[in-house]
Amino acid sequence: MQLKLEHFNIKIGQHKVLLNVADARELGVNPGDRVRIRGHQSLSAIVDTTDDMVPPGTLGLFHEVYEHFQDWDKPVEVVPAYRSKSVSVIKKFMDKKPATQDEIKILVNDIVEENLSDIELSAFITSSYIHGMTDDEVEWLTRAMIESGDTIEFDTHPIMDKHSIGGVPGNKISLLVVPIVAANGLLIPKTSSRAITGAGGTADLMEVLCPVEFSSQEVKEITEKVGGALVWGGATNIAPADDKLIRVEYPLSVDPYYQMLASIMAKKGAIGADNVVIDIPVGPSTKVPSVQEGQKLSRDLINLGHRLGMNVECAITYGSSPIGRKVGPALEVREAMKVLESMEGPNSLIEKSAAIAGILLEMGGAAPRNRGKEIALETLRSGKALEKMKQIIETQGGDPNIKSDDVQVGQYTADIFASADGYVIEFDNKWIIEIARLAGAPNDKGAGVSIHKKMGEAVRKGDSILTIYAEKEFKLENALTTAQRTNPIVVEGMLLRRVPGTYGFQ
Amino acid sequence: MQLKLEHFNIKIGQHKVLLNVADARELGVNPGDRVRIRGHQSLSAIVDTTDDMVPPGTLGLFHEVYEHFQDWDKPVEVVPAYRSKSVSVIKKFMDKKPATQDEIKILVNDIVEENLSDIELSAFITSSYIHGMTDDEVEWLTRAMIESGDTIEFDTHPIMDKHSIGGVPGNKISLLVVPIVAANGLLIPKTSSRAITGAGGTADLMEVLCPVEFSSQEVKEITEKVGGALVWGGATNIAPADDKLIRVEYPLSVDPYYQMLASIMAKKGAIGADNVVIDIPVGPSTKVPSVQEGQKLSRDLINLGHRLGMNVECAITYGSSPIGRKVGPALEVREAMKVLESMEGPNSLIEKSAAIAGILLEMGGAAPRNRGKEIALETLRSGKALEKMKQIIETQGGDPNIKSDDVQVGQYTADIFASADGYVIEFDNKWIIEIARLAGAPNDKGAGVSIHKKMGEAVRKGDSILTIYAEKEFKLENALTTAQRTNPIVVEGMLLRRVPGTYGFQ
C-alpha cells in the first residue's frame, strides 16, 4: 500500500506508526502488529490505528521512525511484516521455556534499538520477575547487554570496580573508595547512576564537584590519566539495555532479581573489570532484607562473575541506618570531602569506605592479604586520597581546589526535635529518603537531611534529631510538614514497658 | 508547579502527559509516575518526559487528557500524585497474592477509563496468563466487567444467548441459531465480534446484510420488537473492558484462560441472559485442542454461570474442519441464507446449528426435553426461521427481501487443484483462514474461500479442491501464491504406505 507521510514530532520510546483504521483493515493489520516500510531505508514499526488522527492514505510517523527518513516528501510502500522474533522469545519467558543464547541476543538488541512496544517489554519484565532465569540465561543476558553497547579495553591491568546495591541513604562511599584505590596505583573507571527513587546517586553527588557526563572513550582517557573516574553511566552508552528496562520496571516497582544480576555485571564486564567488590547492605528497608538473602545474592554474583571471567567478592554490610550523617548531594559531598581533608567524620562512613577499598587493594595486589583496610586508612590519613580526588575532579573539568566548606548547601533549614528524653529506637531509611526528596534532592543539589541522632543514641527532650535543608522555601515547608506528620523516629525512655507481677502487689 | 498547556492531537489509549525533564526533576517525578492536574477539572495522568518535545514550563497533553479541559489557555497547577491503587492490585497478581472484590473493581474501572499504561496492563495480562485466578477472582472480574459498561434489563424472560469459542473457519451458525430461537418465541439479543485474526466474525457476516452498530438501548428495542438481534458488541459499550484487554493480549498472542471465561460471561451477564449455550469446538487448531480440555472449560463456564445466576450448557463440537464449505463474510452469508431459504447446504452447518438451537429451545422451555433439535430443524424447514431472519434484517435497517444469490462475492477467483488421485487426508484450519485473509477477508466482504473437498473425501487428479475469491486482483494473486507454496492439503491414494515382509520375498 502506497502511503504519504505525516510526522508527529513526539518521541515515544518505540518505533511506532499510526495508520487510519480503514488502511489498517485493508492491509489486514491490527494495533500491535508490525509493518515494513519499503523505501531507501527499509525498516519495520509497530502499528497503532486511529479514526481521525491521520486520514486514509497517510502514515503517521512518530519521531523514532521519522529519524530514519531523509526524503519524507515521497510516498512509501507499506506491507504487513512478520511478528518480531523477539516476541516469540518473550513468549518463551512467559511459558518458562528455555531460551537460547542467540534468542537472548536478538531480544536485547531489539530492546536497545527500541523495536519493542511497552506491552512486549512489560511482558518480558513480568515473566522474568515471576519465573526467574537459569544460570545460562543470566550469563547470556549479561553478555548480550555488554555487546549491545560500548565496551572499554584498557592496555594495563588489572581493572578494578565496585558496586553498591541500593537502598541505604547516604551511601557516598565511592567518593572515598575510588581515590583510595587509584592512589594506590590501580585503575578504577567507576560509572555510577543518578538517583531514581533515592536522594542522590554517586553521579548526582560527583556532579556537585565537576561534570560527570562523558563518552566511554573519555572515561578510558580519564582513567588512564589519573587512575580513577567517577562518571554518570547513563551518558556512556555502556550496557544501554539497562536504562530501557528500568523505564519499564520503575512504574511496576519491581527489579527482577536475575536482571539485577545481569545489569550490575554487564556494566562491570563492559569496562573490562578484572576485580570487583559488591557492597550488599542488608536491612529491613534495603533491597536485601536478611543476611541469608545477602549470601545467596553473593553466591550468584560471584558465580556469574566467574562465568564472565571476572573475580568478584561481596561485602555484606550493615544497612539499617544511613551511612554517615548526611543525605542529599551537596551535604554528602561535604561530608566525604571532610574525611578526605582531615579524617574528620562519622565512623560508619570511614570504616565502610576503608573496608571496601581494602578488599579492592588486596584483590588488585596493592596490599598484602588482610592488610587492605589498614593501607586504605593510611591512604586517607596521608592525604594521598585527597590528592587523587583533586586530580580526578580536575581531569573531569572541575575545580581541584574546592574545600568541603565551599560546597553550598540549601539556605532554608528546619529541625525536627525530640519529643521526650530517651533513646532513638526506630529510624526508617525510607522516611529519611522521602524527606530529602520532598526537600528537593537530588535535583536541588543543596537539599537534603543532616542527621544528628541515629538509632540507639540518647536524646533529651527538645534536642534536634535532624535538620532539613532546602534551596526553595516551599519545598522546605513540604518536607517539614510531612516529616512532622509522619515522624517515625521513636524516642523512648530506657524503661520500654513495665510488666506487672502476677500475684497481688509487689 | 504552574505549567501552561500544549495539546498533542494524538490518542494513545491512556491518560498521558509530557513533561520537560527539567520540570520532571524539579517535581521529583519519573517517567511512569503520575501527576495530578489541579484545575476546574482535577484529574491524574501518567508522566512521560522529554528533552525537547515540550520546553520547561509547559505540559504536553495527549488527547485523552486534553478532552477533560474546557479552558486550556489557562496555566494549570501540577503536583505529584500517589501511585494508582490499581498498580498495587496488579502487583498482587504478579506476586500471586489474593485480590479482593473491591480491588478488582477498581482495576477494571481503571482499565475501562484508560487510566493505566501499557506497561501496567501488560503486567496484569502476563501475570494472569502465568498464575491464573481463583474462582472468586474470576467471578469478581466478571461482575466488574459487567458493571463497568452498559447493561440491558428486559421486562420479559427468559433471555437466551449463545457463544462460540473461536478457531474454526466458517462457523456461521449464529445466522441460523438466532432466527430459529427467536422464531420460537424466545428473546435472543446476540452481540458478536468482528474477526481479529479470523476470516470473519458474526458481526462481519451480518454486516453484509444490514447495519450492525447499535447502542445497547437499540439492541434492547430490536430484540423486544422481533425477538432477536445480531449486532456488533464493540459498538454497544457492553463489557467494554474486554476490548481494552484484547488490545494488549493480541500482540502477545495470548488469551489468558480466566480472562476468556470472564469476557465471555460478562457479555452474557450484561444483557441479562438467563440461559446460555457455549459452543466449544475441539481440534488441533482451535483454542481447545482436546475433549478433556473442552470438559474442563465446560465445567468452569457452568460454574461461573452458576455464581452469576445464569444457566449455562456447553456443547463440545467437532472443530477439525471448517463448518460448511464457505469461509469469508459474503460467501458465508450466502451459504447460511441458502439453508434458511431451502434447507440446501452442507450437513455440518445444518446439523450443528440445529443442535445448538435445539439446546436453547429446551433450556428456554420452547421444546420438550430431547426434542429441541427436531423442532429447530422443523423451524428451518417450515420457513419460519427465514421469515424471522428477514424481520431481524429489516429491523436493523437492511433489505429483508435479499436472496442468497443476490449476495455479491469477489469477482476474481482462482482454484487449487488436486495433484493426484486419492483422498484428502490433511486439512489445516489455520491455513484456510490465512488464505482467506490474504484474499482480503474480513475487510473485503466478497473475499474468501469455497471448499470443494473436505477431509476424507475422494478426489481425482486435477479436481478443484478449493476456490479463492477476492475483490482485488493483487490480493487474489497474493493468496494464490501463498496457497500454492504452502499447500498443506495432502492427497494420497488409499495405499498410504507399503510395509514389506520380514522374511524374503512374499
Side-chain angles (χ1 to χ4, degrees):
Chain A
M1 182 179 280
Q2 289 272 329
L3 296 171
K4 61 193 182 70
L5 302 179
E6 184 174 343
H7 176 209
F8 293 107
N9 187 23
I10 297 176
K11 286 185 197 146
I12 54 169
Q14 50 192 285
H15 282 77
K16 200 167 233 184
V17 293
L18 212 49
L19 275 172
N20 187 280
V21 280
D23 290 340
R25 293 190 69 178
E26 172 69 21
L27 270 174
V29 296
N30 294 302
D33 277 334
R34 285 172 166 78
V35 288
R36 187 156 284 284
I37 302 164
R38 293 200 186 126
H40 43 97
Q41 292 243 18
S42 172
L43 74 155
S44 79
I46 301 155
V47 171
D48 215 339
T49 61
T50 172
D51 291 330
D52 49 6
M53 301 293 136
V54 296
T58 296
L59 182 72
L61 306 182
F62 286 99
H63 196 75
E64 288 85 352
V65 179
Y66 172 76
E67 281 182 326
H68 291 270
F69 287 86
Q70 275 96 52
D71 185 9
W72 66 288
D73 285 336
K74 272 201 303 205
V76 292
E77 174 73 19
V78 175
V79 293
Y82 287 107
R83 208 147 265 216
S84 158
K85 169 85 179 159
S86 286
V87 177
S88 65
V89 182
I90 292 170
K91 195 78 192 298
K92 282 191 168 184
F93 278 101
M94 292 173 76
D95 290 330
K96 204 170 166 44
K97 290 182 183 156
T100 68
Q101 183 161 13
D102 276 349
E103 286 173 338
I104 288 177
K105 207 164 163 177
I106 289 168
L107 175 65
V108 171
N109 282 335
D110 270 346
I111 291 169
V112 171
E113 301 288 333
E114 301 187 330
N115 278 332
L116 298 178
S117 68
D118 282 358
I119 291 171
E120 293 156 350
L121 286 170
S122 177
F124 171 59
I125 295 294
T126 305
S127 302
S128 45
Y129 174 78
I130 293 173
H131 287 317
M133 286 188 194
T134 66
D135 285 355
D136 278 342
E137 285 168 346
V138 179
E139 179 190 333
W140 298 334
L141 179 63
T142 313
R143 289 191 186 275
M145 287 172 95
I146 293 170
E147 288 162 19
S148 65
D150 288 357
T151 54
I152 304 181
E153 278 177 44
F154 287 95
D155 300 325
T156 4
H157 284 269
I159 302 301
M160 316 302 293
D161 206 349
K162 75 157 279 284
H163 179 85
S164 289
I165 310 286
V168 184
N171 199 7
K172 58 201 72 80
I173 63 167
S174 290
L175 298 187
L176 303 178
V177 172
V178 170
I180 292 171
V181 171
N184 282 282
L186 297 169
L187 299 187
I188 181 163
K190 174 89 187 90
T191 64
S192 308
S193 54
R194 295 187 187 280
I196 297 178
T197 55
T202 298
D204 297 311
L205 270 52
M206 192 65 183
E207 206 174 27
V208 172
L209 298 168
C210 59
V212 294
E213 303 196 3
F214 298 97
S215 69
S216 49
Q217 180 57 32
E218 289 166 330
V219 175
K220 188 186 177 199
E221 288 160 12
I222 295 164
T223 308
E224 282 173 339
K225 187 168 177 201
V226 292
L230 278 156
V231 305
W232 179 42
T236 58
N237 197 36
I238 285 171
D242 192 37
D243 284 346
K244 315 275 179 189
L245 293 175
I246 287 173
R247 190 179 66 79
V248 179
E249 291 164 1
Y250 173 77
L252 301 172
S253 308
V254 297
D255 187 3
Y257 183 78
Y258 294 96
Q259 257 155 56
M260 178 180 72
L261 298 183
S263 293
I264 293 168
M265 296 306 287
K267 286 172 194 155
K268 308 306 164 202
I271 59 148
D274 302 293
N275 299 296
V276 179
V277 171
I278 317 259
D279 162 27
I280 304 178
V282 166
S285 54
T286 69
K287 287 193 186 176
V288 184
S290 73
V291 172
Q292 284 70 32
E293 283 165 90
Q295 269 164 336
K296 172 173 169 30
L297 176 55
S298 300
R299 278 194 306 273
D300 289 340
L301 285 165
I302 290 167
N303 174 34
L304 179 56
H306 185 70
R307 281 168 166 259
L308 298 164
M310 267 181 272
N311 198 11
V312 175
E313 284 198 27
C314 294
I316 296 176
T317 55
Y318 178 72
S320 297
S321 245
I323 307 303
R325 290 177 176 270
K326 314 284 178 185
V327 175
L331 286 159
E332 294 192 42
V333 166
R334 239 193 204 191
E335 191 175 45
M337 288 301 286
K338 196 149 275 176
V339 172
L340 286 168
E341 286 161 7
S342 60
M343 285 294 269
E344 257 177 69
N347 227 27
S348 59
L349 174 59
I350 297 173
E351 287 298 312
K352 182 171 178 181
S353 303
I356 300 286
I359 299 173
L360 282 165
L361 295 180
E362 292 177 18
M363 290 174 87
R369 186 130 186 88
N370 294 325
R371 291 201 48 218
K373 186 174 175 188
E374 183 190 327
I375 293 176
L377 286 168
E378 181 50 35
T379 310
L380 279 175
R381 258 191 302 264
S382 66
K384 285 186 193 155
L386 175 64
E387 195 47 44
K388 184 54 73 181
M389 186 64 167
K390 286 182 172 182
Q391 291 173 11
I392 295 171
I393 292 170
E394 184 169 26
T395 311
Q396 292 189 193
D399 171 11
N401 298 316
I402 191 163
K403 299 272 184 314
S404 57
D405 290 337
D406 302 335
V407 176
Q408 290 297 311
V409 298
Q411 60 170 310
Y412 298 98
T413 64
D415 286 63
I416 300 288
F417 300 103
S419 52
D421 290 2
Y423 294 81
V424 177
I425 58 163
E426 270 184 52
F427 203 98
D428 188 300
N429 282 343
K430 285 189 176 146
W431 181 80
I432 290 288
I433 292 171
E434 191 193 348
I435 300 306
R437 284 182 67 90
L438 283 170
N443 186 52
D444 301 347
K445 298 283 188 199
V449 169
S450 179
I451 301 157
H452 310 307
K453 300 289 176 187
K454 288 170 81 170
M455 203 141 68
E457 292 184 344
V459 290
R460 300 204 140 269
K461 181 174 177 177
D463 280 357
S464 171
I465 295 177
L466 57 83
T467 306
I468 305 171
Y469 291 76
E471 293 183 356
K472 288 165 188 145
E473 206 170 355
F474 78 94
K475 290 195 181 183
L476 180 73
E477 275 163 31
N478 257 352
L480 185 62
T481 314
T482 301
Q484 285 166 339
R485 197 183 60 234
T486 61
N487 185 358
I489 302 173
V490 178
V491 175
E492 286 208 34
M494 280 299 283
L495 182 64
L496 292 182
R497 185 169 296 168
R498 182 172 166 186
V499 184
T502 320
Y503 303 104
F505 298 101
Q506 303 283 314
Chain B
M1 183 180 281
Q2 288 272 330
L3 297 171
K4 61 193 181 71
L5 302 179
E6 183 176 342
H7 176 209
F8 294 107
N9 187 22
I10 296 176
K11 286 184 197 148
I12 53 169
Q14 49 192 284
H15 282 76
K16 198 165 233 183
V17 293
L18 211 50
L19 276 172
N20 187 281
V21 280
D23 290 340
R25 292 191 69 175
E26 172 70 21
L27 269 174
V29 295
N30 293 303
D33 278 335
R34 285 172 166 77
V35 287
R36 185 155 287 283
I37 303 164
R38 292 198 187 130
H40 41 97
Q41 293 243 17
S42 172
L43 75 155
S44 79
I46 301 155
V47 170
D48 214 339
T49 62
T50 172
D51 291 330
D52 49 5
M53 302 290 137
V54 297
T58 296
L59 182 72
L61 306 181
F62 287 99
H63 196 76
E64 288 84 351
V65 178
Y66 172 75
E67 282 183 326
H68 292 269
F69 287 85
Q70 275 96 51
D71 184 8
W72 66 287
D73 285 336
K74 272 201 301 201
V76 292
E77 174 75 17
V78 175
V79 294
Y82 288 107
R83 208 146 267 215
S84 157
K85 170 86 177 156
S86 287
V87 177
S88 65
V89 182
I90 292 170
K91 195 76 192 300
K92 283 191 169 185
F93 278 101
M94 291 173 76
D95 290 329
K96 205 170 163 46
K97 290 182 182 156
T100 68
Q101 182 161 12
D102 275 350
E103 287 173 337
I104 288 177
K105 206 164 163 176
I106 289 167
L107 176 65
V108 170
N109 282 335
D110 270 346
I111 291 170
V112 171
E113 301 287 332
E114 301 186 331
N115 278 333
L116 298 178
S117 68
D118 282 359
I119 291 170
E120 293 156 351
L121 285 170
S122 177
F124 171 58
I125 294 293
T126 304
S127 302
S128 44
Y129 173 79
I130 293 173
H131 287 317
M133 286 188 192
T134 66
D135 286 355
D136 278 343
E137 285 168 346
V138 180
E139 179 190 332
W140 297 334
L141 179 62
T142 313
R143 289 189 186 277
M145 287 172 95
I146 293 171
E147 287 162 18
S148 65
D150 288 357
T151 54
I152 304 181
E153 279 178 44
F154 286 94
D155 299 325
T156 3
H157 283 269
I159 302 300
M160 316 302 293
D161 206 348
K162 74 158 280 283
H163 179 84
S164 289
I165 310 288
V168 184
N171 200 5
K172 59 203 69 87
I173 64 167
S174 291
L175 298 188
L176 302 178
V177 172
V178 170
I180 293 171
V181 171
N184 282 282
L186 297 169
L187 298 187
I188 180 162
K190 174 86 188 93
T191 65
S192 308
S193 54
R194 295 188 188 279
I196 298 177
T197 56
T202 298
D204 297 310
L205 270 51
M206 194 63 183
E207 207 174 26
V208 173
L209 297 168
C210 59
V212 295
E213 303 196 3
F214 298 96
S215 70
S216 50
Q217 181 57 32
E218 289 166 329
V219 174
K220 187 184 178 201
E221 287 161 12
I222 294 164
T223 308
E224 282 174 338
K225 188 167 175 204
V226 292
L230 276 157
V231 306
W232 178 43
T236 58
N237 197 36
I238 284 171
D242 192 36
D243 284 346
K244 316 274 181 192
L245 293 175
I246 286 173
R247 189 179 68 79
V248 179
E249 292 164 358
Y250 173 77
L252 301 173
S253 309
V254 298
D255 187 3
Y257 183 77
Y258 295 97
Q259 258 156 55
M260 177 180 74
L261 298 182
S263 293
I264 293 169
M265 297 305 289
K267 286 173 195 156
K268 308 306 163 203
I271 60 149
D274 302 294
N275 299 298
V276 179
V277 172
I278 317 259
D279 162 27
I280 305 179
V282 167
S285 53
T286 69
K287 288 192 184 177
V288 184
S290 71
V291 172
Q292 283 70 31
E293 283 165 89
Q295 268 163 337
K296 171 172 169 31
L297 176 55
S298 300
R299 280 194 304 274
D300 288 341
L301 285 164
I302 289 166
N303 176 32
L304 179 55
H306 185 71
R307 281 168 167 260
L308 299 164
M310 267 181 274
N311 197 13
V312 175
E313 284 199 27
C314 293
I316 295 177
T317 56
Y318 178 71
S320 297
S321 245
I323 307 303
R325 291 177 176 269
K326 313 286 179 185
V327 175
L331 285 158
E332 295 192 41
V333 166
R334 240 194 204 193
E335 190 177 43
M337 287 302 286
K338 196 149 275 175
V339 172
L340 287 169
E341 285 163 8
S342 59
M343 284 292 268
E344 257 178 71
N347 225 26
S348 60
L349 173 59
I350 296 173
E351 286 299 310
K352 183 171 177 180
S353 303
I356 300 286
I359 299 173
L360 282 165
L361 294 180
E362 291 176 20
M363 290 174 88
R369 188 134 185 85
N370 295 324
R371 289 202 48 219
K373 186 174 174 188
E374 183 190 327
I375 292 175
L377 285 169
E378 180 51 34
T379 311
L380 279 175
R381 258 191 301 267
S382 66
K384 284 186 193 155
L386 175 64
E387 193 46 45
K388 184 54 71 180
M389 185 63 168
K390 286 182 172 183
Q391 290 173 11
I392 294 171
I393 292 171
E394 184 169 25
T395 310
Q396 291 189 196
D399 171 11
N401 298 315
I402 192 164
K403 300 271 183 314
S404 56
D405 291 336
D406 300 337
V407 176
Q408 290 296 313
V409 297
Q411 58 170 311
Y412 298 99
T413 64
D415 286 63
I416 300 287
F417 300 102
S419 53
D421 289 3
Y423 293 81
V424 177
I425 60 164
E426 269 185 54
F427 203 101
D428 187 299
N429 282 342
K430 285 189 177 148
W431 181 80
I432 290 288
I433 292 170
E434 192 194 347
I435 300 305
R437 284 181 68 89
L438 285 170
N443 186 52
D444 301 345
K445 297 283 188 199
V449 170
S450 178
I451 300 157
H452 309 307
K453 300 289 175 185
K454 288 171 82 170
M455 202 141 71
E457 292 185 344
V459 290
R460 300 203 140 269
K461 181 175 178 179
D463 280 358
S464 172
I465 295 178
L466 56 82
T467 304
I468 306 171
Y469 291 77
E471 293 182 356
K472 285 161 190 152
E473 207 171 354
F474 79 94
K475 290 194 180 183
L476 181 71
E477 274 163 32
N478 257 353
L480 185 61
T481 313
T482 300
Q484 285 166 339
R485 197 182 61 235
T486 60
N487 184 358
I489 302 173
V490 178
V491 175
E492 285 207 34
M494 280 301 282
L495 182 64
L496 290 183
R497 185 170 296 171
R498 182 173 164 186
V499 184
T502 319
Y503 303 105
F505 298 102
Q506 302 285 312

